[in-house]
Amino acid sequence: PLAVELVSERLRRENLCDRASAFVWDVAEPPPAEARAGGGADACLAIFTLSALAPEALPRALAHLRSCLRPGGRLLLRDYGRLDLKQLKFARAARGRLGGGHGCEWYARGDGTTALFLTTEAVSALAAEAGFEVEEVRYDRRLAVNRAEHTRMHRVWVVAVLRRPAEAPGERGGSALLPPATVILLATTAVALMAWLRGRGSR
């Protein structure tokens, strides 16, 4: 995919290949070796990742993400919430709703892809099923105003911090991202990845 190629090229250009890599991974499938390098990650950042899956794939995806974390590692989620502006637009389209599952609502986009809209209750239940401790789960509601078009947009996102429990006393907790910490970034931009890497290099 082009996004992975662009990130890989940027890593080579900035001589960061020894600190990061880019690879394709459908989180509904078992993780590749790259996702478990170094014994797992201290944190995984999933931005609008779960909403791209079918409802029945959610338990598998969370279990796979958990398997990539070290004991004490955290999964940080941000995704579409129920009654977000995008859901209300999809709901008005003929034959747009596909059903749901796990307390989520599932819609078809015009380009053939789909979108899930989550609730805090669904995220909490799925996280517990996958073996996570829920440190935080809440709605982030924002009002965006387009002054040029005189429109008001009500956005609703779900944000969560899920922790893989430590499995024995004295295991590394992963609460502080200090070397040799590892972070997995899912569905983020090359710009954000480069900014994070440069920030880590300055410490």
Side-chain angles (χ1 to χ4, degrees):
L2 179 59
V4 172
E5 293 176 9
L6 290 173
V7 172
S8 297
E9 172 58 29
R10 186 72 176 271
L11 291 171
R12 288 191 293 270
R13 191 165 64 249
E14 300 200 12
N15 298 316
L16 292 169
C17 292
D18 60 331
R19 298 177 55 209
S21 63
F23 52 89
V24 178
W25 175 26
D26 177 353
V27 295
E29 301 297 329
E34 296 95 327
R36 293 181 174 178
D42 292 274
C44 178
L45 176 63
I47 305 296
F48 302 111
T49 300
L50 298 183
S51 58
L53 303 174
E56 62 269 17
L58 292 176
R60 296 197 308 275
L62 283 168
H64 294 154
L65 291 169
R66 182 187 183 279
S67 73
C68 295
L69 292 170
R70 297 171 182 169
R74 288 170 172 81
L75 172 60
L76 312 177
L77 295 176
R78 184 179 184 88
D79 225 313
Y80 294 118
R82 186 174 179 272
L83 299 182
D84 179 64
L85 173 69
K86 287 186 177 291
Q87 180 187 358
L88 300 180
K89 287 183 176 179
F90 293 148
R92 291 195 291 267
R95 299 184 298 278
R97 193 171 192 277
L98 300 174
H102 298 288
C104 307
E105 296 188 38
W106 195 27
Y107 292 84
R109 290 190 173 101
D111 61 2
T113 60
T114 63
L116 271 177
F117 294 87
L118 309 172
T119 65
T120 54
E121 294 82 3
V123 171
S124 294
L126 287 162
E129 181 182 341
F132 282 105
E133 294 175 351
V134 178
E135 293 192 341
E136 179 184 8
V137 59
R138 61 181 174 82
Y139 291 109
D140 181 6
R141 294 182 171 90
R142 305 288 180 97
L143 173 62
V145 179
N146 186 323
R147 291 183 173 84
E149 298 182 4
H150 305 287
T151 56
R152 295 159 62 89
M153 297 168 284
H154 294 273
R155 306 309 308 270
V156 182
W157 299 298
V158 171
V159 294
V161 179
L162 311 177
R163 181 177 180 272
R164 176 175 177 170
E167 295 171 353
E171 281 190 305
R172 188 168 182 269
S175 58
L177 297 181
L178 300 173
T182 303
V183 175
I184 297 174
L185 305 177
L186 298 171
T188 189
T189 65
V191 173
L193 175 60
M194 292 302 109
W196 181 84
L197 287 168
R198 279 195 289 268
R200 293 280 295 163
S202 65
R203 294 183 183 181

